[in-house]
Each structure stands twice: as C-alpha cells, then as structure tokens.
Amino acid sequence: MAGHVAAATGITPDIDESGVGSLGSHPSGTGLDRAPDGLGRPWANRWRLSSMLTHANAWLEQRGIERGPWLSVCFGIGISVWMALPGVFYWGAFLAGMGGFLLLALPQGREQRLVYLHLTCICTILMVAAGFVTIWIKSSLMGTPPIPRPVVVQLAGVVVSRETRGAEGIVRLILATRLALPASGRAVDGAQAGDGLRTGRVRIALPVAQDSPGLAPGAHVALRARLLPPPPPMVPGAVNFARTAWFAGLMATGRALGPVTVIAPAPPGTRLDAIRQGLADHIRHQLGGSPGTIAAAFASGDRGSIARSDEDAMRDAGLTHLLSISGLHVSAVVGAVYLIVARGLALIPFVALRIRVPLAAATGGALAGIGYTLLTGAEVPTIRSCLGALLVLAALALGRDPLSLRMLAVAAFIVMLFWPEAVVGPSFQMSFGSVIAIIAFDSSAPVRHFLRPRGEGWLGRLWRHLALVLATGLVIELALMPMSLFHFHRAGIYGALANVVAIPLTTFVSMPFLALALLLDPVGLGAPAWWVTGRSLDLLLGIAHLTAHQPGAVTMLPGMPGWVFAMMVLGLLWLALWTGRVRLWGLVPVGLGAVLAFMTPSPDLLITGDGHHVGIVGEGPEGGGGERALLMLRTTRGDYTRSTLMESAGLDGEARPLDTWPGAQCNADFCRVVLRRSGRAYAILMSRGRDHVDLAMLARACAEADIVIADRSLPRGCRPRWLKADRRLLRQTGGMAIRLAGHHVRTVADTERGHGWFAQLSVPLPR
C-alpha cells in the first residue's frame, strides 16, 4: 500500500516504530518537506470542529430529561425577542432568519451521527419561533390601541370590575364602553381625531366620597370624565403601564368629573366581586388598622387599603410576595385541604379501603385552590400559582415526583401560551425564579448530602433543617436580586433572615387562624381566632419595619441595560437546570453581569416624557462633592413621580427642589444650572413657566446652553449647543435618561418603538 502511495504521489512515507505512516522529506525538492503554515490548517480545524460536535452530541445524549425544561426557556426567549425588536420589518426578518437556521440545522446525509445535536438545534429554533409568533398573534388580535390624546367626554358603559383603594382615597372602576372622540381639527398619528368610535375598556378613578352601593359590576352607569392614554414609562426602565393596558384591553385611564349616575343597577344574583368586597370589609371591621388591611389582602386579594408605609416596609424587607396572592397562599390553602381530606378519610376504614385516598385528597385540594383563585380575583399571578398547584396535585395522585423542574417547565409553558406578555413582567420572573431556585438548590448533591440520615438526636436534625431553611432563603434572595434590581432598581439585603420567620408565621399561624376565624364567625365564636390573627400580623409588620430600617437594608442601583439582565438570567437558568459540574459555567455570565450592573453609572439628567419634570443626579450643581441627591425642577403633590425618578437614578431618600440648591439660577420662567462632569462644564437650561418669553432673549439663552429642556414646543431660533428636548421632540422619544460624559442618551422609544402601545417614532438625536 505504501508503495502505491509513493508511486502515485511521489512522497515517501516513513514508518515509525508504532507502524503509523508519516510524510517524510522528498528528495526532488517539491517543497512538501516544509509545507506553508496555512496548508493543512483547514483540515486540522475541520477535524477539531468535527470532534467538538461529536463531543457535544454525546453530552446532549447523556443529559436525557434535563433537556426538557429548556424548551420552555426557548419559548420565553422568543417572546422576549419580539418585545425587544422594534417593528414589523424586524419581526419578519427575525422569522426569516429562524427559517434559514432551521434549514442549516437539518441533518444532511452522513451527519446523521449528530442526531442529538441536530434535534436540539431544531427544537430550539422551533420553540423560539413559536414563542415569537404566539406573542405577535396575541398582540395583533387582542391588543387595544390607546386613545391618541387627552379628552374630556361623556361616558356611558357597564361596570366590569371595581377596586377600593382606601389608602389613596379612591375607587377604581373598569368600564366597558364605546368612546366617541371629539374632533380636534388636526391629525393624530396619521389619522384624524374623531374618526369613528373606539370600543374597549377604560379605567376611571373617583373619590371614595362619591362611591355608592349601586356601582357594582354589571351596573350601567353614565359620567363625565377626563381621559388620558395609558402612560408609557415615565423614563427609560420605569413601569410600563401602556404595555399592560394594551394586553388588558384598556384604551384609556382617567378621573371622574362629578358624580356617577347609575342608569341600571347590576342584575340580581350572587357575584364573586360582591362576595370579595364583603369579605374584605368584614375582615377590616373585625381587625382594624394595619393587621386588618394585611388580612384582607390574604383572604380576598384586596391590597388597596394597605398603608404606603407598611407596603414600603414589606418591600424593603423582602416580604412583598406575602401581600400578592401567589404561590405561598395558594400552596397553603391547597396543602391544608389536601392534608385535612387525606387524614379525615384515613380515619374512616370503610372509605379508605374502597377509594384512593390520595386521589380524593388531590381532588379536594384542587377544588379549594380553584375556589380560592376565583375568590381573590383570578389575577394572573394567582392563576399561575393555581396551575402549578394543580400539576403538583396531579403528580401526587399519579405517584410521581411533584416537585421537579419538568413539572415547573410545563406550568410555565401553559402560562406563557395564554399570557405571553407576562414573561417580561416582574411577577412571572420572580415567582418562577424563586421556585426554580428552591427545586434546584434542594435537589443538588451537597444539600442531599447535608440532609442524609445521621445518628443524631432531634436537636441536631432541627438545627440542620433550620440551617437549610436559612440557606434556601439566601439562595432565593440572590436568585431574585437581578430581577428586583432590573425592574425596581432596588433589592433587600436581609430578606432571607426576615423570610425565615415571616413565611412560617404566615403559613402556619396567620392564614390558618384567619380561616378559622371566618368559619367560627357565623356562630359567634371567632373572637379568639381573630385575636391570634391580629397578634401574628402585628408581629409580621414589626419584622418588616425592623428589617427595612436596618443600615444597608436596601441596595439601590440605576437601571441596568436589558442585555446585561438577559445575560444574568440565562446564567442563572444554566446554573439551575443542569446537574453536575457543567452547571457551574452559569456563574460566568452571572458574575460578569453583576459586575457590569454595579458598574452602570447613574444618569446625570432624567426627563419625563411630557418634559414637565426634570431630575438632576449628582453631588451638586458644580460637582463639588457631598451627598448624592436628586434635584427636581418642580415639586409634586404625590409620591409617584418622585419615587420613580429616585429609583431610576439609583438613589434613596428625599428629593430636593432645584431652586433651593446653591448654584442654581432660577426665575419664574427658567432655571439654569452648570454641571461639571469629566472635567467639562455643561450648561442646562430648563423651562418651568408658561408665560410669553422674548424671542431674542430666549435665543441668546439657548445659544449659551448645551441642553435646553421644556414642556412646551420651543421656536426654531432656540438652538442649544447639543440637545433641545422640548415638547416636539419628547412627544416622539418619550422620557430620557442622559449621561453628560460621552453625550449618552437613552429614550423610552429606544425599547418601545414599533409596538402598538407606543405609537411614536424614534428620531435621531444630535451628538
């Protein structure tokens, strides 16, 4: 054979001691004795690539059922990509790209040996595309366009739901109505205002003093109201109510101007809304004060009466999840009913020997969970938790493992299929994130080794279980911290310690005694149970306030970029969904994302979408050091604007009026501030008046400023050196976050443009 090779190629093969041939030198001087570096490299690289693909295929083959939960992750990725891309052209291009990748991923002849790798690629592409198409279809079919501008109209409609928010002194009504917009004589978003009718829902707020028993769901009412389009994020990274309203069918929000007239009362019959409201009122009457408002939230989902100070304390202590009817509450109800039914039937031998007790107990628990979900308003987080509980009950009835990542992936897929918009919200992310963290941590090898039976007394077992509870709480806090920082710009530090006491207290004392009190009230024996419930909730609030007021209890950060957050979430999923040492690779994107998040600088200027509010972040107008603070151009009657700007800047505390800050030059019409950043002075001119200003003076002031900000349209003669953020520009871009160093500008339109809930178009900003 060697001779044939030599004769055909002129190359003499050298045979080494192992019998393996190698290419020797050629006496004819053909140059093959020292081939150029580039020759052979493609062959070597292809061999290495083939080897890597083979190893990847073998690794995927070994993973087996661990691959399953990633299908739900890919479905969620497709939904998130649709949310991030800015319009139909990009959506079509993405699907076309997915189709191209699918063709490349199909196995070709001899590549059938990589069947698991090909199958993984195909399933990944299909699930990403399926999630993408699902949210696109729902947005197209169910999305409700907002009204184009504020209007004052006479409304007539049917009350769909009502919510009493005692802490704010208002009642919120959701009305189904047909809205005729008055013509304005000018085009809005390419259409003439007043063209046709709008059919949909509006949310109306009216003072508690104007409330009446007739304003019940099903009643026909008439009123005069001022309506606004659902507001987009105030600044980049803030709450996006416009997106929520788009999928909820809300085309406007507003406030009643005068009394509400009941044209026709609600039809007779028992309604869950009336039962829910009556239950909440009864609980608040029995307990009163803050414990009563917390107990009403547990039993009926009514959080509107909780005091702002209590809600802030629960948030900063990491206990807000106790106020939202979700996994903990549904699990407590379902678990209690399951245990009671199972134990009760086991005490009756005649029944226990003739039916499957676990199946009967699971049926009772399922009915209790569904009833509790309906009673508390059937909000999306509650429905999501109920679906998860039903899957757990089904697994128990079938004798399967009820707490597995596969079960959780199925529950997540069902939720995403019907409510795909929930994927980008904090509720979905934090509820599923916490359960994933619990299952992944408790099923890990170190934890199982820690809990294995040992020859020790009950005190040693108790210590180990308490240590595990604390460690689990810490893992949950760390897992949810990226989500809390991304959505709320804050995260609690001591939440794990607070939850170690608060969760058992709520699960085994507050909720059971609350249920017992409600059961005993019809016979007049509920007083002792109400007393225990009140004292337990006093203790819960005491823990919240004590934890929230500890030094360093809250970490504040400015908004991190979306891609950093996505990198951290994917790293956490990699860490949780795989087993073995390979999962540790997830720490790399998590650690890198954490570093990038903590290195994200605060914006120097925050401008709301209407240009009315401006926040200046820093140590002072001249950058001379001192405590970091937020300087606000205008003071506000409420806390929402101030808290939103503070959170977006990553600051805590109180905002200060700009005109009281040393160095600010303010009059009735304008404020001028000089900010020094990175060795350069930036002059900021801000309008705060509505009176006529001399055009020549305005032109000179604009020419001396780097940035001009106004809540009204400025004339063309106003030409600042860098940016004119007036009403004309802000109407197209939405709110802004500006870093002066590097002239970096983020706008709401950067992430929301192209979607129906944000109809404006982004325009290029000057650099």
Side-chain angles (χ1 to χ4, degrees):
M1 182 69 180
H4 293 293
V5 172
T9 63
I11 302 175
T12 304
D14 295 332
I15 307 300
D16 58 15
E17 295 180 357
S18 64
V20 179
S22 61
L23 296 181
S25 59
H26 192 271
S28 63
T30 60
L32 292 176
D33 54 327
R34 289 194 309 164
D37 292 340
L39 187 63
R41 278 189 176 179
W43 302 338
N45 290 341
R46 184 175 181 181
W47 181 87
R48 293 192 191 99
L49 177 61
S50 178
S51 177
M52 291 172 58
L53 296 178
T54 302
H55 284 297
N57 184 77
W59 183 78
L60 289 170
E61 181 181 5
Q62 295 170 358
R63 287 295 156 175
I65 59 176
E66 292 181 31
R67 303 191 301 266
W70 284 99
L71 295 177
S72 293
V73 173
C74 293
F75 193 84
I77 290 175
I79 295 171
S80 302
V81 170
W82 184 87
M83 289 286 189
L85 292 180
V88 175
F89 173 80
Y90 294 90
W91 301 338
F94 179 82
L95 287 180
M98 288 291 98
F101 283 123
L102 181 62
L103 293 177
L104 293 176
L106 293 175
Q108 303 291 334
R110 58 188 178 86
E111 297 297 330
Q112 292 286 350
R113 61 188 178 86
L114 303 177
V115 59
Y116 288 97
L117 186 60
H118 285 301
L119 182 62
T120 299
C121 293
I122 292 171
C123 291
T124 298
I125 294 170
L126 290 178
M127 290 303 289
V128 170
F132 193 94
V133 172
T134 298
I135 183 66
W136 192 354
I137 291 175
K138 181 170 184 180
S139 177
S140 301
L141 296 180
M142 302 185 65
T144 302
I147 63 174
R149 56 185 171 81
V151 292
V152 175
V153 295
Q154 190 72 27
L155 283 178
V158 180
V159 178
V160 177
S161 65
R162 58 168 288 153
E163 178 187 11
T164 302
R165 303 184 67 86
E168 302 175 21
I170 62 172
V171 175
R172 283 180 177 172
L173 302 178
I174 304 294
L175 304 180
T177 183
R178 298 183 68 189
L179 183 63
L181 297 179
S184 65
R186 62 182 179 86
V188 180
D189 294 335
Q192 195 73 16
D195 291 345
L197 297 174
R198 297 287 186 98
T199 302
R201 297 182 176 185
V202 298
R203 192 182 75 180
I204 302 295
L206 66 151
V208 172
Q210 297 181 10
D211 190 18
S212 67
L215 296 179
H220 290 253
V221 299
L223 69 155
R224 190 167 181 264
R226 183 175 188 267
L227 299 180
L228 302 169
M234 185 176 293
V235 291
V239 176
N240 193 346
F241 180 71
R243 183 177 63 205
T244 302
W246 173 268
F247 288 101
L250 289 177
M251 59 180 174
T253 63
R255 181 173 292 272
L257 302 177
V260 180
T261 303
V262 178
I263 300 175
T270 302
R271 296 184 61 91
L272 284 174
D273 293 298
I275 296 175
R276 186 184 310 120
Q277 187 63 47
L279 178 62
D281 293 340
H282 175 74
I283 293 173
R284 285 192 289 263
H285 175 73
Q286 291 291 336
L287 286 179
S290 294
T293 61
I294 301 296
F298 287 170
S300 66
D302 181 6
R303 297 177 54 179
S305 299
I306 299 176
R308 180 62 182 270
S309 59
D310 292 335
E311 195 156 8
D312 288 345
M314 295 286 284
R315 178 196 61 193
D316 293 341
L319 303 178
T320 300
H321 63 94
L322 298 178
L323 301 179
S324 175
I325 304 299
S326 55
L328 176 66
H329 309 78
V330 176
S331 300
V333 172
V334 171
V337 173
Y338 181 93
L339 183 63
I340 291 172
V341 173
R343 297 297 186 186
L345 293 178
L347 294 176
I348 309 174
F350 178 82
V351 177
L353 294 174
R354 286 167 174 78
I355 67 171
R356 289 192 59 191
V357 173
L359 182 60
T363 302
L367 293 175
I370 294 172
Y372 184 59
T373 299
L374 295 175
L375 179 63
T376 54
E379 300 291 338
V380 173
T382 316
I383 296 174
R384 181 169 59 243
S385 303
C386 184
L387 288 174
L390 294 179
L391 288 174
V392 170
L393 291 173
L396 287 172
L398 296 174
R400 305 292 296 273
D401 181 10
L403 294 178
S404 67
L405 292 173
R406 285 169 293 156
M407 280 288 188
L408 191 64
V410 172
F413 178 77
I414 294 174
V415 172
M416 291 187 292
L417 192 61
F418 290 97
W419 298 279
E421 69 278 5
V423 171
V424 296
S427 177
F428 177 92
Q429 296 171 6
M430 299 183 80
S431 59
F432 275 103
S434 60
V435 180
I436 290 174
I438 292 172
I439 296 176
F441 180 69
D442 289 350
S443 62
S444 62
V447 172
R448 290 185 174 181
H449 176 76
F450 182 75
L451 288 179
R452 70 180 183 181
R454 293 178 173 86
E456 60 186 357
W458 67 270
L459 190 61
R461 292 195 300 272
L462 178 62
W463 175 86
R464 285 194 290 120
H465 281 85
L466 288 178
L468 181 62
V469 169
L470 180 61
T472 303
L474 181 61
V475 168
I476 294 174
E477 289 294 324
L478 293 175
L480 299 186
M481 187 172 290
M483 304 164 197
S484 182
L485 290 174
F486 179 76
H487 292 288
F488 310 116
H489 312 291
R490 62 195 302 142
I493 302 299
Y494 306 129
L497 293 173
N499 277 285
V500 168
V501 180
I503 291 178
L505 177 66
T506 302
T507 306
F508 301 112
V509 180
S510 299
M511 291 188 65
F513 276 91
L514 174 60
L516 182 62
L518 292 172
L519 289 175
L520 294 178
D521 265 355
V523 294
L525 300 177
W530 283 120
W531 184 87
V532 175
T533 303
R535 300 294 76 75
S536 67
L537 293 176
D538 281 330
L539 178 58
L540 176 65
L541 288 170
I543 293 171
H545 283 278
L546 177 64
T547 305
H549 288 89
Q550 295 304 308
V554 178
T555 297
M556 301 289 297
L557 284 181
M560 70 177 75
W563 64 270
V564 173
F565 174 65
M567 180 172 63
M568 297 177 70
V569 170
L570 290 176
L572 289 171
L573 288 171
W574 185 277
L575 190 64
L577 299 185
W578 296 122
T579 59
R581 293 184 177 180
V582 70
R583 73 189 330 175
L584 298 180
W585 283 103
L587 295 174
V588 175
V590 172
L592 179 60
V595 172
L596 293 174
F598 279 92
M599 290 178 59
T600 302
S602 297
D604 297 302
L605 292 174
L606 290 166
I607 309 171
T608 61
D610 57 3
H612 193 70
H613 296 285
V614 180
I616 298 177
V617 183
E619 296 78 14
E622 297 296 336
E627 183 181 358
R628 290 169 54 82
L630 180 74
L631 313 176
M632 292 190 64
L633 176 64
R634 292 178 173 91
T635 57
T636 60
R637 290 178 294 178
D639 293 332
Y640 179 73
T641 300
R642 180 195 61 81
S643 61
T644 299
L645 295 180
M646 292 287 289
E647 291 172 359
S648 298
L651 299 176
D652 197 10
E654 294 295 329
R656 302 182 59 175
L658 178 60
D659 53 9
T660 64
W661 195 266
Q665 304 172 3
C666 296
N667 57 29
D669 297 311
F670 286 92
C671 275
R672 186 177 187 275
V673 173
V674 177
L675 301 177
R676 191 169 297 277
R677 300 291 186 267
S678 301
R680 178 184 169 184
Y682 294 87
I684 315 297
L685 183 66
M686 294 160 283
S687 168
R688 66 173 189 170
R690 305 296 298 176
D691 295 335
H692 175 76
V693 180
D694 181 75
L695 293 181
M697 295 178 60
L698 177 62
R700 287 196 299 270
C702 290
E704 296 173 358
D706 294 278
I707 299 176
V708 176
I709 304 168
D711 60 351
R712 51 181 169 170
S713 298
L714 296 176
R716 297 183 182 275
C718 177
R719 297 179 180 178
R721 290 190 286 264
W722 172 21
L723 179 64
K724 182 171 69 174
D726 64 347
R727 184 177 182 180
R728 185 180 293 108
L729 178 65
L730 292 172
R731 187 181 294 150
Q732 302 175 55
T733 63
M736 293 183 177
I738 301 175
R739 288 207 315 268
L740 297 176
H743 288 193
H744 183 268
V745 180
R746 288 177 58 213
T747 70
V748 170
D750 290 339
T751 56
E752 305 300 324
R753 67 181 184 273
H755 293 284
W757 56 84
F758 189 85
Q760 291 87 339
L761 299 176
S762 181
V763 297
L765 299 176
R767 296 291 180 184

